[in-house]
């Protein structure tokens, strides 16, 4: 599967952005999907994930209640709605697909994921 992330940009603190990730090739509904972010000098960190069916989601503590992950398997899309953005959310955001996740599992380790998008920059100004 190939992944293409989009929707990043510059936003003021307290604002919102919606990231999108489009998948091509492969059977999208077979993949658990995750969103990760990375800032220079730090490891890539888990932000949110969603099971293959979309029935379950998981979030990092730092974003729970502010971010919402969703997917549309018919359109082969996964989304990350980000509200109440904070300058600490500034990072490059990546979507990723896990081809081997069991039905109800949402992996949080980057090394578990098989495919990655190119990343989209999110900058939150104070």
């Amino acid at each position: 599967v190939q992944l293409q992330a989009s929707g990043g940009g510059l936003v003021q603190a307290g604002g919102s952005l919606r990231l999108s990730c489009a998948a091509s090739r492969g059977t999208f509904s077979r993949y658990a999907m995750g969103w990760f972010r990375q800032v220079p000098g730090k490891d890539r960190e888990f932000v949110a994930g969603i099971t293959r069916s979309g029935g379950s989601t998981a979030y990092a503590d730092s974003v729970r209640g502010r971010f919402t992950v969703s997917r549309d398997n018919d359109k082969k899309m996964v989304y990350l709605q980000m509200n109440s953005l904070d300058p600490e959310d500034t990072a490059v955001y990546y979507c990723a697909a896990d081809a081997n996740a069991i039905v109800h599992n949402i992996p949080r380790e980057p090394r578990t994921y098989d495919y990655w998008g190119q990343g989209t920059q999110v900058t939150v100004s104070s």
Side-chain angles (χ1 to χ4, degrees):
V1 64
Q2 292 183 330
L3 303 174
Q4 179 77 32
S6 62
L10 174 63
V11 63
Q12 289 187 332
S16 298
L17 281 175
R18 188 194 195 202
L19 304 184
S20 299
C21 178
S24 60
R25 303 183 182 176
T27 303
F28 184 64
S29 60
R30 291 183 178 177
Y31 303 102
M33 298 298 296
W35 285 98
F36 292 78
R37 65 188 181 188
Q38 190 169 23
V39 298
K42 292 190 176 181
D43 293 336
R44 194 167 295 188
E45 67 171 352
F46 175 81
V47 175
I50 189 165
T51 53
R52 299 187 298 182
S53 68
S56 295
T57 56
Y59 297 93
D61 290 344
S62 59
V63 308
R64 187 175 292 111
R66 300 188 297 123
F67 291 10
T68 303
V69 60
S70 61
R71 69 188 293 164
D72 184 331
N73 283 349
D74 290 335
K75 295 182 179 179
K76 297 186 177 182
M77 297 289 295
V78 63
Y79 306 99
L80 184 67
Q81 178 66 44
M82 305 186 295
N83 298 329
S84 301
L85 282 162
D86 183 271
E88 293 291 316
D89 296 316
T90 296
V92 177
Y93 283 71
Y94 299 88
C95 58
D98 179 1
N100 299 303
I102 60 176
V103 174
H104 301 297
N105 189 44
I106 303 173
R108 293 173 179 252
E109 289 294 325
R111 58 183 171 84
T112 306
Y113 287 77
D114 304 287
Y115 305 98
W116 292 84
Q118 84 290 0
T120 185
Q121 176 71 46
V122 172
T123 303
V124 185
S125 63
S126 58

